[in-house]
């Protein structure tokens, strides 16, 4: 067997240049001189989206059937690395069976706003939780010899302008919040690849960000895999090579290949720089070659999907209506019970092996649709039918949530509200005196005006293909719910710290709240919330006692004081009230899910280490520990802190921060890194902006008209496609299947016309 170096030495220049871009939409090039075959990559992140025929990166065309595991929004509520690991192992096995070498995920972008259209693909508002759970998934997949692609690196937290936006984030917030989940996942999960994001960070596109891709990712964190672009995220190919970006996807990238060749010829790029990337790609291909095809069990994976979902649902309210009573009889209301929403729209959309709907699992219940499944609207007749279906029943199980058209890759929501029809339905049933058990299907927080009136409410997020059977097991009490919220449910959108600075019409997205994201903000401002980070009820109760804190561990006892077995997620938070710098009141630094039989008690020991106390110091350029009396809290949620103690920790007495958070520019020494408006149309100008010029209108007008005609509706696909194309930089247009598209020619034509007019 030849070594990587031997193979690279024997490769021709053509082979090397071909290898650094995709062969097509889903394959890498092979290395013919070394007999290495092309390998396949597919989405991700909650199952395999392998497209055998027509390809796309928005989940529009068919893909081969595979298990649709719960999307990250639900898996995150498990607070259990064991859950993400087992899902990862199963996904790895499906890759092995389908001869896919890399699955594109997990996505660990922080949920900065509840409105991000893609929140369902991400884990949490907290970097520690996101990083830990993603590490579990990565280890699971990679244990099968399959690569993962940790994405979208980095600060890609909204869909608006996702291809052309500029995330303006101060250094401390980047390090403590936005890069942290990547850091944990790289250090602990060790993914084979990382996918760079579309956006710019502080005015530098991720694909060409040497600081991000080399200094931080490789040199600081020790990443030794390869970096690929998100689909169409390449800006300047030669600069990207120097920055540490190895693979451009999709391919083939003919114009960029010519640019790389020219740069080698004129000496602006060295063969060593090219070889460094080629070496990383060849090493992975060699590893992938060793994996042998093997079938997987569809039944076993369906069960994995079910178990993962059942241990993640979050019980938000319960006055004893749940679990369902054996002697009770129930009505099932809401067309989402039949047309269940179990995954989000876009590139992660799986063609599931099978789907357990809710309605199928509750055949003995009377049923009424309650509202239109697509629009979410209700009518007097629908409500009357629902009331009739509840006559003589113990309670109504009412399924509400967001229809597909509300959340998708490509665009963000504009409100946190449920469809009015869903709210009206629930209110009407309650007004009739009917006990309501609400089941909530949505990929992100919504406002729940009826939350204090319903008798019980179970949040299922988007549950994957086994949603129905998992729900049955939890509603009937076969499984005791143990999920906890991986994000805050604010009372109002206006309370969210990114409010006013999220998905606006400005391509510069100012992260003015800095480190105060999610509960860090609500706690700092002492704001009331609907449900706090880490919250979730159980059918049993847990009592915490006997706290003891030493310099390297916290130990305490948890007792199940109720009548049934259950799992509890114990959470460790630390804070430094006397800090010399501004800091969150408390931050999650550890957690564990424990199982307790009824009446059983256990001693839990959570480790304490340096990472439990750090902040990012902008002068020493590293995570530092500040000396002081730390408050150590053990909680059943971030606001239900059951045990508290103090620990003195040695460290620096001179922590440094830059500026102050109330004055955003001061965090950047006065000058914000905004996009410079040159007035010229270049490869990074969006189609929408180019269309405002005469040249753009003439050259790109036909493409725009074709788009408008093909996607004239207000459905998910039309909104996604329009956002995609209009907000796309011109350099990405070739991916939209415009025939013989050349970026350079297009720019030249536009600018020629503009200079004449
Ligand atoms: C998404 C990625 C995805 C890729 C390939 C992009 O639009 O942002 O998450 O992996 O397409 O489908």
């Amino acid at each position: 067997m030849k070594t990587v170096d031997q193979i690279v030495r024997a490769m021709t220049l053509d082979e090397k240049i071909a290898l650094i871009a995709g062969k097509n939409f889903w394959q890498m090039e092979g290395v013919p001189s070394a007999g290495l075959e092309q390998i396949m990559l597919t989405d991700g992140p909650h199952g395999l989206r392998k497209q055998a025929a027509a390809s796309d990166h928005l989940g529009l065309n068919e893909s081969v059937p595979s298990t649709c595991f719960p999307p990250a929004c639900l898996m995150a509520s498990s607070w259990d690395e064991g859950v993400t690991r087992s899902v990862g192992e199963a996904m790895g096995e499906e890759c092995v069976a389908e001869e896919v070498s890399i699955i594109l995920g997990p996505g660990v972008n922080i949920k900065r706003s509840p409105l991000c259209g893609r929140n369902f693909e991400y884990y949490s508002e907290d970097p520690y939780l996101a990083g830990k759970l993603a590490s579990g998934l990565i280890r699971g997949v990679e244990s099968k010899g399959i690569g993962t692609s940790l994405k979208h690196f980095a600060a890609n937290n909204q869909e608006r302008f996702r291809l052309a936006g500029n995330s303006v984030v101060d250094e401390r917030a980047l390090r403590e919040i936005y890069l942290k989940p990547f850091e944990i996942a790289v250090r602990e999960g060790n993914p084979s690849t990382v996918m760079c994001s579309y956006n710019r960070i502080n005015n530098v596109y991720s694909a060409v960000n040497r600081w991000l891709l080399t200094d931080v990712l490789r040199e600081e964190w020790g990443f030794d895999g390869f970096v690929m672009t998100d689909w169409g995220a390449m800006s300047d190919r030669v600069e990207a090579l120097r920055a540490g970006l190895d693979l451009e996807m999709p391919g083939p990238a003919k114009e960029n290949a010519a640019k790389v060749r020219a740069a080698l010829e004129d000496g602006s790029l060295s063969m060593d720089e090219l070889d460094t990337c080629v070496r990383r790609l060849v090493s992975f291909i060699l590893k992938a070659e060793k994996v042998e095809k093997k079938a997987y069990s569809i039944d076993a994976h369906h069960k994995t999907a079910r178990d993962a979902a059942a241990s993640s649902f979050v019980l938000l309210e319960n006055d004893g209506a749940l679990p369902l009573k054996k002697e009770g009889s129930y009505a099932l209301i809401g067309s989402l019970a039949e047309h269940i929403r179990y995954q989000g729209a876009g590139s992660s959309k799986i063609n599931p092996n099978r789907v357990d709907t809710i309605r199928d699992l509750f055949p003995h219940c009377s049923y009424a649709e309650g509202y239109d499944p697509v629009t979410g609207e209700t009518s007097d007749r629908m409500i009357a039918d629902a009331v009739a279906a509840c006559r003589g029943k113990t309670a109504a199980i009412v399924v509400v949530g967001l229809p597909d058209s509300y959340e998708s890759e490509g665009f963000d929501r504009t409100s946190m509200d449920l469809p009015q029809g869903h709210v009206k339905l629930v209110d009407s049933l309650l007004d009739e005196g009917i006990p309501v058990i609400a089941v909530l299907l949505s990929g992100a927080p919504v406002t729940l005006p009826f939350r204090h009136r319903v008798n019980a409410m179970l949040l299922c997020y988007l549950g994957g293909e086994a949603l129905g059977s998992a729900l049955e097991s939890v509603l009937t009490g076969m499984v005791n719910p143990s999920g906890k919220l991986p994000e805050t449910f604010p009372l109002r959108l206006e309370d969210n710290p990114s409010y006013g600075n999220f998905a606006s019409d400005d391509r510069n997205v100012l992260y003015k709240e800095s480190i105060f994201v999610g509960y860090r903000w609500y706690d700092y401002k002492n704001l009331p919330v609907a449900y706090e980070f880490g919250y979730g009820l159980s059918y049993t109760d847990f009592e915490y006692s006997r706290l003891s804190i030493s310099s390297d561990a916290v130990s305490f006892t948890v007792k199940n004081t109720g009548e049934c077995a259950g799992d509890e997620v114990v959470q460790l938070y630390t804070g430094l009230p006397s800090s010399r710098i501004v800091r969150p009141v408390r931050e999650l630094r550890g957690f564990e899910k424990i199982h307790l039989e009824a009446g059983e008690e256990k001693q839990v020991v959570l480790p304490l280490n340096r990472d439990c106390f750090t902040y990012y110091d902008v002068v020493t350029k590293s995570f530092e520990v500040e000396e002081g009396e730390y408050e150590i809290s053990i909680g059943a949620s971030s606001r239900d802190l059951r045990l508290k103690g103090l620990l003195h920790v040695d460290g620096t007495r001179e922590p440094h921060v830059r500026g102050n958070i109330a004055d955003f520019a001061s965090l950047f020494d006065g000058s914000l890194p905004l996009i410079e408006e040159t007035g010229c149309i270049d490869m990074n100008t969006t189609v929408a902006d180019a269309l405002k010029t005469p040249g753009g209108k003439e050259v790109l007008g036909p493409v725009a008209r074709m788009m408008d005609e093909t996607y004239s509706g207000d459905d998910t696909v039309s909104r996604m496609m329009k956002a995609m194309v209009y907000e796309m930089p011109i350099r990405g247009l070739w991916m939209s299947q415009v025939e013989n598209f050349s970026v350079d020619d297009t720019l030249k034509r536009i600018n020629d016309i503009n200079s004449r007019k």
Side-chain angles (χ1 to χ4, degrees):
M1 178 87 154
K2 284 195 183 138
T3 64
V4 174
D5 281 337
Q6 284 167 336
I7 292 173
V8 174
R9 238 176 283 129
M11 281 170 78
T12 64
L13 181 58
D14 284 350
E15 279 182 320
K16 290 180 185 175
I17 292 180
L19 189 65
I20 61 168
K23 178 182 171 67
N24 50 41
F25 220 83
W26 296 124
Q27 282 174 313
M28 281 171 65
E29 278 286 357
V31 183
S33 62
L36 298 179
E37 302 273 314
Q38 63 259 22
I39 59 171
M40 186 162 202
L41 302 68
T42 72
D43 285 305
H46 59 265
L48 212 61
R49 188 172 71 93
K50 177 182 172 186
Q51 293 185 311
S55 312
D56 71 86
H57 62 307
L58 295 171
L60 305 177
N61 296 303
E62 268 295 286
S63 52
V64 301
S66 63
T67 309
C68 177
F69 296 97
C73 56
L74 179 62
M75 263 198 287
S77 317
S78 70
W79 288 60
D80 188 346
E81 274 183 73
V83 165
T84 51
R85 178 165 178 128
S86 64
V87 168
E89 284 168 4
M91 290 199 306
E93 285 170 12
E94 299 198 14
C95 290
V96 171
E98 291 293 344
E99 299 183 293
V100 165
S101 303
I102 297 175
I103 182 160
L104 305 174
V108 291
N109 297 96
I110 289 291
K111 301 185 190 205
R112 178 174 174 246
S113 161
L115 300 184
C116 171
R118 232 176 156 178
N119 272 353
F120 62 81
E121 274 190 69
Y122 303 140
Y123 289 90
S124 180
E125 67 188 21
D126 180 80
Y128 180 78
L129 183 62
K132 286 284 180 183
L133 295 176
S135 300
L137 188 115
I138 293 168
R139 283 198 296 264
V141 174
E142 302 251 357
S143 71
K144 304 291 171 185
I146 301 300
T148 46
S149 195
L150 182 65
K151 68 190 187 182
H152 309 90
F153 193 47
N156 184 187
N157 310 95
Q158 66 178 47
E159 289 300 280
R160 179 100 168 101
F161 293 128
R162 71 172 177 146
L163 294 138
N166 176 26
S167 303
V168 183
V169 199
D170 69 271
E171 189 181 356
R172 182 173 171 206
L174 259 180
R175 292 296 197 147
E176 290 186 18
I177 307 290
Y178 296 99
L179 295 185
K180 198 65 186 177
F182 289 96
E183 177 177 358
I184 295 172
V186 165
R187 289 190 194 273
E188 298 183 14
N190 197 16
S192 294
T193 83
V194 166
M195 183 192 290
C196 84
S197 60
Y198 284 122
N199 53 285
R200 312 179 198 214
I201 302 173
N202 297 332
N203 212 14
V204 183
Y205 277 108
S206 299
V208 293
N209 194 331
R210 191 183 156 86
W211 169 78
L212 186 72
L213 304 184
T214 296
D215 301 356
V216 174
L217 178 65
R218 297 183 200 280
E219 286 168 14
E220 271 184 42
W221 301 347
F223 174 70
D224 61 0
F226 74 81
V227 180
M228 70 178 83
T229 58
D230 196 345
W231 268 229
M234 177 55 75
S235 44
D236 180 320
R237 189 41 173 130
V238 175
E239 212 183 320
L241 272 170
R242 288 196 212 101
L245 189 295
D246 306 299
L247 178 68
E248 173 176 6
M249 284 306 290
K254 291 192 194 130
E255 278 189 291
N256 280 340
K259 286 179 186 163
V260 170
R261 198 178 292 276
L264 286 168
E265 274 161 20
D266 71 20
S268 54
L269 182 75
S270 72
M271 191 59 81
D272 267 0
E273 286 169 315
L274 176 62
D275 281 351
T276 304
C277 294
V278 170
R279 219 174 281 124
R280 295 186 192 123
L281 297 168
V282 170
S283 324
F284 182 81
I285 299 174
L286 280 180
K287 186 173 114 184
E289 284 241 311
K290 298 197 187 110
V291 179
E292 273 174 37
K293 187 176 163 109
K294 191 170 155 211
Y296 70 94
S297 156
I298 291 181
D299 287 345
H301 287 191
H302 189 70
K303 182 173 180 308
T304 304
R306 184 173 64 226
D307 292 348
S311 55
S312 306
F313 295 152
V314 187
L315 185 61
L316 296 176
E317 301 285 343
N318 193 15
D319 68 359
L322 285 178
L324 302 178
K325 312 287 168 285
K326 284 209 177 66
E327 63 286 3
S329 74
Y330 296 89
L332 182 62
I333 311 290
S335 53
L336 277 177
E338 199 163 3
H339 308 275
I340 62 167
R341 214 168 144 247
Y342 57 96
Q343 63 176 334
S347 62
S348 66
K349 197 162 182 179
I350 302 301
N351 174 14
N353 276 326
R354 68 171 77 133
V355 177
D356 300 340
T357 76
I358 301 176
R359 186 145 185 225
D360 289 346
L361 269 300
F362 291 88
H364 306 301
C365 290
S366 53
Y367 173 76
E369 59 179 351
Y371 50 78
D372 181 282
V374 178
T375 64
E377 281 163 20
T378 189
S379 65
D380 291 347
R381 184 195 55 76
M382 284 171 163
I383 290 180
D385 288 350
V387 172
C390 296
R391 210 155 285 140
K393 301 291 179 186
T394 313
I397 303 167
V398 188
V399 186
V400 293
L402 296 179
D404 239 341
S405 58
Y406 277 55
E407 336 172 71
S408 164
E409 177 171 349
F411 56 86
D412 303 301
R413 280 187 298 160
T414 49
S415 130
M416 265 176 55
D417 292 342
L418 283 171
Q420 281 315 300
H422 292 215
V423 177
K424 189 164 174 206
L425 171 69
V426 173
D427 282 340
S428 307
L429 296 176
L430 288 165
D431 290 346
E432 292 287 330
I434 299 164
V436 168
I437 297 164
V439 169
L440 184 58
L441 310 185
S442 104
V446 287
T447 39
L448 298 160
F450 45 69
R451 70 196 172 91
H452 290 315
R453 295 183 72 206
V454 293
N455 302 75
M457 180 154 56
L458 187 72
L459 169 65
C460 297
Y461 275 110
L462 304 178
E465 65 174 42
L467 165 64
S469 48
L471 181 65
E472 185 202 19
S473 65
V474 171
L475 290 185
T476 56
M478 242 143 55
V479 172
N480 188 347
S482 61
K484 299 270 186 172
L485 289 179
E487 63 192 319
T488 311
F489 270 49
L491 280 172
R492 320 173 304 155
L493 182 62
E494 292 84 338
D495 292 340
N496 179 264
S498 73
Y499 184 75
N501 295 304
F502 177 83
S504 72
D505 286 339
D506 191 344
R507 277 187 293 149
N508 296 298
V509 187
L510 309 186
Y511 287 45
K512 286 192 175 170
E513 68 284 3
S514 184
I515 55 169
F516 290 104
V517 177
Y519 68 90
R520 287 168 168 77
W521 169 256
Y522 302 113
D523 288 349
Y524 185 62
K525 289 283 175 189
N526 203 9
L527 286 171
V529 298
Y531 300 107
E532 73 270 15
F533 176 78
Y535 170 85
L537 303 171
S538 162
Y539 295 154
T540 185
D541 291 308
F542 301 98
E543 202 177 83
Y544 290 60
S545 63
R546 285 184 239 144
L547 175 70
S548 135
I549 302 173
S550 71
S551 60
D552 59 2
V554 183
S555 90
F556 52 97
T557 303
V558 184
K559 181 171 185 187
N560 179 346
T561 55
E563 266 143 40
C564 59
D567 290 356
E568 172 71 326
V569 177
V570 295
Q571 303 164 35
L572 164 71
Y573 296 87
T574 70
L576 181 59
S578 62
S579 176
R580 297 147 184 99
I581 57 172
V582 58
R583 285 182 79 156
V585 181
R586 68 187 67 88
E587 297 177 88
L588 181 74
R589 305 293 196 165
F591 62 88
E592 197 177 314
K593 195 171 215 173
I594 52 167
H595 179 80
L596 290 169
E597 295 299 323
E600 192 189 1
E601 68 172 32
K602 262 186 198 158
Q603 194 200 20
V604 183
V605 181
L606 297 177
L608 282 180
N609 54 38
R610 190 177 187 278
D611 292 342
C612 296
F613 306 104
T614 54
Y615 70 96
Y616 186 78
D617 192 300
V618 295
V619 170
T620 64
K621 300 268 176 219
S622 61
F623 280 92
E624 302 284 356
V625 174
E626 181 184 356
E627 178 156 345
E629 293 295 308
Y630 283 80
E631 208 172 79
I632 313 277
S633 317
I634 298 297
S637 84
S638 61
R639 290 192 172 182
D640 181 6
L641 304 171
R642 305 288 182 88
L643 304 169
K644 273 189 187 178
L646 292 175
L647 177 71
H648 182 88
V649 183
D650 290 335
T652 177
R653 293 180 184 185
E654 256 187 85
H656 310 98
V657 288
R658 185 177 301 119
N660 80 72
I661 290 176
D663 171 10
F664 189 52
S666 72
L667 305 179
F668 297 82
D669 285 336
S671 123
L672 291 179
L674 303 180
I675 299 172
E676 294 119 37
E677 300 299 347
T678 58
C680 287
I681 305 292
D682 60 31
M683 65 174 177
N684 292 323
T685 309
T686 60
V687 172
D689 283 346
L691 283 168
K692 291 178 194 149
T693 68
K697 226 177 261 161
E698 197 171 318
V699 177
L700 300 177
V703 183
R705 272 193 296 282
M706 188 186 76
M707 282 296 304
D708 291 345
E709 278 159 23
T710 320
Y711 300 103
S712 56
D714 193 33
D715 53 300
T716 321
V717 172
S718 298
R719 290 174 68 192
M720 182 159 75
M721 285 305 287
K722 273 190 269 191
M724 187 77 188
V725 171
Y726 284 105
E727 291 179 9
M728 167 108 57
I730 292 173
R731 60 175 154 77
L733 263 185
W734 69 271
M735 278 202 325
S736 310
Q737 266 117 46
V738 180
E739 236 171 279
N740 292 328
F741 183 84
S742 149
V743 181
D744 290 346
D745 288 354
T746 305
L747 289 174
K748 187 167 175 320
R749 282 171 57 212
I750 295 176
N751 284 318
D752 282 353
I753 298 170
N754 285 348
S755 63
R756 285 202 300 271
K757 299 221 167 148

